[in-house]
Amino acid sequence: MGYSEPGSQIDALNGRNYEKSKELLWLKRLACELGFEQDKYVLFCDNQSAIHLSKHVSFHSRSKHIDVFYHWIQDVLNYKQMQIDKVHTDDNGADMLTKVVTKGKLEVCCWLVGMTAGWQ
């Protein structure tokens, strides 16, 4: 998000959850059109506060200023179109794309996402 109020890191994370939720549901529709369906679609997030805010907007005392479109995530979760789950930082393969990581952490991330051969 371009603008950040003091203490609104959670709001920025929730904005990313909103964008990723839209992408996940778009991919879900595309997969269904191609004949592939799954039992559940899960968006993993490594920030517990952002997960709680996605599920319960009243969770955060500064959430009154959140735009209406953030409530869209709640509707999607209530209609069971997807779910948001916590991923521990040790199990988060996406860290290699979003953070500076050590060589050991990079190797673990590559293993988690199935990229083990040919890059060493």
Side-chain angles (χ1 to χ4, degrees), residues 23 34 38 44 48 63 77 81 96 102 108 114:
E23 291 174 16
L34 296 174
Q38 293 181 189
F44 291 101
Q48 193 68 46
S63 63
L77 294 173
Q81 292 179 320
M96 68 179 171
T102 64
V108 169

Side-chain angles (χ1 to χ4, degrees), residues 77-88:
L77 294 173
N78 288 337
Y79 290 120
K80 309 278 190 231
Q81 292 179 320
M82 63 168 233
Q83 64 187 62
I84 297 179
D85 286 343
K86 172 90 168 92
V87 61
H88 191 273

Side-chain angles (χ1 to χ4, degrees), residues 38-52:
Q38 293 181 189
D39 293 335
K40 64 181 181 176
Y41 294 84
V42 182
L43 176 66
F44 291 101
C45 180
D46 62 357
N47 186 293
Q48 193 68 46
S49 295
I51 293 170
H52 284 297

Side-chain angles (χ1 to χ4, degrees), residues 4-46:
S4 179
E5 293 182 358
S8 67
Q9 177 185 8
I10 294 171
D11 299 339
L13 288 168
N14 205 48
R16 282 186 232 139
N17 283 351
Y18 171 74
E19 292 299 323
K20 298 306 172 192
S21 297
K22 290 191 323 186
E23 291 174 16
L24 177 65
L25 292 179
W26 183 86
L27 288 171
K28 176 183 176 180
R29 285 187 210 104
L30 176 64
C32 288
E33 287 181 17
L34 296 174
F36 301 102
E37 292 193 38
Q38 293 181 189
D39 293 335
K40 64 181 181 176
Y41 294 84
V42 182
L43 176 66
F44 291 101
C45 180
D46 62 357

Side-chain angles (χ1 to χ4, degrees), residues 87-96 104-116:
V87 61
H88 191 273
T89 191
D90 293 340
D91 301 323
N92 191 355
D95 277 352
M96 68 179 171
K105 176 68 175 177
L106 177 63
E107 290 172 353
V108 169
C109 289
C110 287
W111 179 79
L112 286 170
V113 299
M115 296 174 38
T116 56

